[in-house]
Amino acid sequence: MSETYTFAAAYELPRWPFVPPPELESGTTVRHPIVIVGAGPAGLALACDLASRGVRCVLLDEDDTVGVRGASSRGICYAQKSLEIFARLGLYERVADKGITWSFGRTFSGEREVYSFNLKTDSVSQQPPFINLQQFYVEWFLVDRIQALGLTDLRWKNKVTGVTPLQDGVSLEVETPAGRYAIEADHLVDATGANSPIRTQLGIDAHTSRSTDRWCISDVRFKKPLPVERWTWVDAPFNEGRGVWQHLMADGVWRIDYQMPEDCDTDHISKPEVAGARLREQLGPDVEFEFVWIGPYGYRDHLLDQFRHGRILFIGDAAHVVSPFGARGGNTGIQDAANLAWKLALVTQGVAHDSLLDSYHDERRPAAEENLRVTSRSARFLAPRSQAEHTMRRAVVDLAARFPFARALVNTGRMSVANAYPSGPHLPEGACTVQNLALAWQDGRPTSIAELLGEGGGSVCLGLWFQPTRSQAAAAADLPPDLPLRLVAVGGDSALPTLRADDTLARHLGNPAPGSLVLVRPDAYRAACLAQPDASSITRLLRTTLALR
């Protein structure tokens, strides 16, 4: 049956031309406000977010295309917070049209379904809990959007070979097909991924630990479609009692991850005939399919002590790597970018003090720590390291089939959610995400949280004032005219632009009392609630939250 082990036609992805940068011709070293290195999901999301706020940057990448030449699915699950970011940046519709939307999943042990879940249950967002889409498509769509916005100098085939911190910036050496040149940056963002050469050159310890757990990915197209749900096996009988994940992606391609023995031969498990035998064991001897890609992977964890080193900031896998359980890799990098973009914009534009950039580390490193804790527990559940852990897992799985309380203990990968942030100098109350609710103005025109935050560009906080009286809302006239704030009333009778009263929005924001003002940051995080707002207290809150000059 070897003739059935065929491969689908390779993806044809765009390649962008190398354009000699002006520094090559002039021979001068130009200073740029922001330079990003690495055109993966995090670097592209950051450049796109900056451009949406009217901020120029230079983005350097050593390749001239996206993904791994389109061969591998790599990251595939994009979580609601990332999708909300895409909505604000103007590429969500394209992602949704191409990808596979899902919210329902089933978990099996052997032949038994031990529980199922629907992630829509607690969602109030316009975006779904998850969309599955091959990573190279997301990168491709980001590049297209960046080019449409027109503010990013995206330089392909520009490889950074040296980085030197300066007292007031960073110097970079860059190699291109047409020669070498040097540039400087006020701020450098490293988005070069897990094997960051910048981090290595600077001697920054990532505290790496490697897992012995091994998996093999099979990207497959079937003649007969499978159910469009996320199915997970804790101990699949067709995989020698080891874990399996099954997801549908774009183009009718299924991503199936098989857990392998720790001491496996990675070349052997990736052979088409071996991968094909696994598929037939799972789906029957007559299943018809073609491979798109097969590949092994092991994973490692790492976490930098500091995400900011002077004028150099680390995002995405350059700052942190977690095991792939629950889609907490690429999503975390995209959310790093959303946290950093508005802060870099305000600092670069001279609106905020440089200290605002410290809050990027203060907020995103705890988020990475939480993701490491969650994914490490998933890894231990799927690959128990002792007889006691095996016994505990069997007990949890057996109880989950009969008792609801035990289902929360079955850990095949806690799905990615937007991290809450701890309190800090610029965030006295801490912060939690605000989902992208559908809202309406008093005259019935539709709007949403993302639209309210993204309208007009810039980096503006949203002040949602619940049922303000006319006398309360009159305080808006005493606010400094250049304060980066958009005030919107929710119900009530005032002269402010007014949304219809919305019980869902009120519950989502903690049921603020009438007259209260909830401040939402540019990255759609609830920063604070003022019970008795006036011009003075609103101004103080904005100065604290945004580190205004």
Side-chain angles (χ1 to χ4, degrees):
M1 301 182 69
S2 60
E3 70 276 5
T4 62
Y5 301 129
T6 58
F7 278 78
Y11 285 99
E12 292 186 14
L13 296 180
R15 297 178 68 176
W16 292 276
F18 164 72
V19 177
E23 291 89 345
L24 274 176
E25 183 177 347
S26 68
T28 59
T29 300
V30 179
R31 170 69 71 108
H32 299 274
I34 301 170
V35 174
I36 304 167
V37 185
L44 289 167
L46 178 60
C48 190
D49 207 331
L50 288 168
S52 76
R53 302 180 190 282
V55 178
R56 296 180 180 274
C57 73
V58 175
L59 175 55
L60 308 174
D61 193 84
E62 63 184 51
D63 206 347
D64 63 356
T65 188
V66 291
V68 185
R69 297 290 169 181
S72 162
S73 55
R74 301 185 78 191
I76 67 165
C77 296
Y78 292 90
Q80 187 171 82
K81 183 65 177 180
S82 299
L83 299 173
E84 291 170 340
I85 293 166
F86 294 159
R88 178 171 52 78
L89 297 181
L91 64 142
Y92 168 72
E93 294 299 334
R94 197 171 178 192
V95 169
D97 289 346
K98 185 66 177 176
I100 301 297
T101 297
W102 69 276
S103 62
F104 193 79
R106 299 181 188 276
T107 298
F108 299 87
S109 175
E111 303 289 349
R112 293 182 303 159
E113 180 178 330
V114 292
Y115 81 101
S116 61
F117 60 84
N118 188 346
L119 297 171
K120 275 188 177 179
T121 303
D122 298 320
S123 173
V124 295
S125 176
Q126 287 190 308
Q127 277 62 53
F130 277 93
I131 289 179
N132 284 359
L133 184 62
Q134 293 90 320
Q135 180 175 314
F136 52 77
Y137 280 124
V138 171
E139 294 175 359
W140 183 353
F141 300 164
L142 279 164
V143 172
D144 286 350
R145 182 60 180 151
I146 286 169
Q147 292 179 329
L149 290 168
L151 293 176
T152 304
D153 184 357
L154 212 172
R155 302 183 182 183
W156 302 103
K157 290 290 186 181
N158 279 243
K159 180 179 181 179
V160 174
T161 57
V163 170
T164 304
L166 307 173
Q167 187 172 3
D168 63 346
V170 187
S171 174
L172 296 89
E173 298 291 330
V174 186
E175 183 181 274
T176 78
R180 295 173 175 266
Y181 68 95
I183 58 172
E184 291 183 355
D186 293 338
H187 292 95
L188 171 66
V189 181
D190 181 1
T192 55
N195 298 312
S196 163
I198 295 173
R199 194 183 62 228
T200 300
Q201 183 201 319
L202 295 176
I204 297 172
D205 189 355
H207 306 293
T208 301
S209 64
R210 293 189 177 275
S211 170
T212 57
D213 207 8
R214 294 291 179 268
W215 294 75
C216 187
I217 299 170
S218 295
D219 289 349
V220 189
R221 188 176 285 117
F222 294 102
K223 189 168 183 179
K224 181 179 179 181
L226 306 178
V228 183
E229 296 173 347
R230 178 187 187 263
W231 285 17
T232 305
W233 285 263
V234 177
D235 45 11
F238 51 82
N239 191 37
E240 299 179 345
R242 292 184 292 270
V244 174
W245 293 327
Q246 177 178 298
H247 278 277
L248 178 61
M249 306 180 291
D251 305 321
V253 177
W254 286 86
R255 160 83 171 262
I256 307 182
D257 293 44
Y258 295 94
Q259 190 179 29
M260 295 283 103
E262 291 182 2
D263 58 352
C264 66
D265 179 337
T266 54
D267 290 334
H268 175 74
I269 64 172
S270 305
K271 290 180 178 180
E273 60 271 22
V274 177
R278 281 196 297 269
L279 282 166
R280 295 191 187 284
E281 184 70 22
Q282 176 181 351
L283 298 168
D286 299 324
V287 62
E288 297 181 75
F289 62 88
E290 61 180 356
F291 287 117
V292 176
W293 185 82
I294 309 169
Y297 74 88
Y299 51 83
R300 72 185 194 197
D301 297 337
H302 76 228
L303 179 64
L304 270 61
D305 292 325
Q306 294 290 326
F307 287 8
R308 182 185 186 190
H309 289 253
R311 295 299 186 100
I312 303 174
L313 299 115
F314 295 85
I315 68 172
D317 285 356
H320 48 73
V321 169
V322 301
S323 53
F325 306 117
R328 292 171 183 265
N331 285 294
T332 304
I334 290 165
Q335 291 161 40
D336 286 349
N339 182 285
L340 180 59
W342 63 273
K343 298 173 182 178
L344 266 177
L346 289 175
V347 171
T348 299
Q349 293 163 341
V351 177
H353 288 282
D354 181 78
S355 65
L356 182 62
L357 296 179
D358 292 333
S359 70
Y360 165 69
H361 165 84
D362 293 342
E363 293 165 8
R364 294 308 297 171
R365 193 179 191 279
E369 289 175 334
E370 180 182 5
N371 290 337
L372 273 170
R373 285 193 295 271
V374 171
T375 55
S376 295
R377 289 168 183 163
S378 296
R380 293 289 288 267
F381 190 85
L382 286 167
R385 299 178 188 177
S386 68
Q387 188 58 47
E389 289 185 3
H390 273 286
T391 301
M392 177 65 74
R393 189 178 78 173
R394 283 196 300 271
V396 165
V397 169
D398 287 343
L399 288 169
R402 294 176 289 160
F403 302 106
F405 84 89
R407 290 165 195 163
L409 304 175
V410 178
N411 189 349
T412 56
R414 304 283 186 234
M415 299 309 295
S416 175
V417 295
N419 301 89
Y421 296 149
S423 60
H426 302 294
L427 201 60
E429 297 181 17
C432 58
T433 190
V434 177
Q435 292 184 28
N436 186 28
L437 287 87
L439 303 169
W441 295 104
Q442 274 188 327
D443 62 7
R445 288 177 295 121
T447 187
S448 67
I449 294 292
E451 185 176 327
L452 291 170
L453 286 170
E455 206 169 72
S459 298
V460 176
C461 285
L462 176 64
L464 294 172
W465 207 332
F466 283 78
Q467 301 175 43
T469 64
R470 282 186 175 272
S471 60
Q472 284 179 315
D478 298 325
L479 291 170
D482 58 348
L483 202 65
L485 173 67
R486 183 180 188 186
L487 278 178
V488 175
V490 182
D493 180 21
S494 71
L496 292 173
T498 303
L499 299 167
R500 288 178 176 174
D502 190 293
D503 290 342
T504 301
L505 175 65
R507 286 194 300 271
H508 185 57
L509 294 177
N511 289 312
S516 298
L517 186 145
V518 174
L519 186 70
V520 181
R521 299 194 317 184
D523 56 354
Y525 267 79
R526 179 190 183 277
C529 180
L530 291 176
Q532 297 295 328
D534 56 24
S536 177
S537 63
I538 294 171
T539 302
R540 284 197 305 272
L541 177 59
L542 262 290
R543 293 197 179 282
T544 297
T545 302
L546 304 182
L548 297 180
R549 288 186 177 277

